Amino acid sequence: MSKQVLIVDDSRVSRMLARAYLEERRPQWTFFEASSGEEAIALAEREELELVTLDVNMPGMSGLAAGERILQIRPSAQVVVLTANVQSSVRQRAESLGMRFLQKPITEATISRLLELVDG
C-alpha cells in the first residue's frame, strides 16, 4: 500500500539517509522532503501526507511547532520526531502533541523502529 511521506530535516544528509532506508523497505511509497518547518507546513497544505518525520532543531520554526501545525492540517497523519535532541522535555512535548519520538542517528535500525511504530 502506498503512503505519502514527508521527511523534514535541515540536514540534507539526514534527509537523504532517511529516504534511502525508507525507499529500500517501502519502494511503493511517495516521498517528499523539506528543509524547514515552514516548507513542511506548505507541503502539508498541498499533499495528503500520511507520515511525517521531523527534526526538532532547525533554523526558523522548530520541528515541534511545525508538527503541531501539520497535525492541525492533517489530523490523521502519523508524525514521528527524529532528533538528536533527547531532552525529556522535548520527548514529553512531542508525545503530548500526539507525536512519536525516535533518537538519531539515522541508521537502518532507527528506520526499522520507525516502521514498527507506523505499521504496528
Side-chain angles (χ1 to χ4, degrees):
M1 181 166 55
S2 184
K3 253 191 215 296
Q4 302 245 81
V5 180
L6 173 59
I7 300 165
V8 187
D9 200 307
D10 58 319
S11 161
R12 184 169 175 267
V13 171
S14 290
R15 290 194 314 271
M16 288 170 55
L17 267 175
R19 183 175 183 152
Y21 287 132
L22 283 165
E23 278 183 326
E24 187 178 301
R25 305 274 181 89
R26 301 292 187 273
Q28 71 278 24
W29 288 4
T30 303
F31 295 92
F32 301 92
E33 294 182 27
S35 60
S36 70
E38 295 83 356
E39 195 181 332
I41 290 166
L43 267 160
E45 289 171 342
R46 286 196 314 269
E47 304 293 339
E48 296 285 333
L49 300 173
E50 296 159 276
L51 172 60
V52 180
T53 70
L54 277 170
D55 188 18
V56 171
N57 300 325
M58 297 184 288
M61 175 182 280
S62 82
L64 292 178
E68 186 172 13
R69 182 73 188 105
I70 289 166
L71 283 169
Q72 290 167 353
I73 299 165
R74 301 278 173 222
S76 64
Q78 293 179 291
V79 178
V80 179
V81 174
L82 190 55
T83 184
N85 185 339
V86 295
Q87 298 169 1
S88 61
S89 59
V90 171
R91 179 185 294 254
Q92 288 165 356
R93 178 80 178 128
E95 290 171 353
S96 76
L97 293 168
M99 301 177 211
R100 302 282 193 31
F101 186 94
L102 285 174
Q103 183 175 338
K104 279 182 176 176
I106 296 169
T107 62
E108 211 166 330
T110 308
I111 296 303
S112 292
R113 180 76 187 107
L114 184 147
L115 291 171
E116 286 169 19
L117 285 175
V118 300
D119 290 345

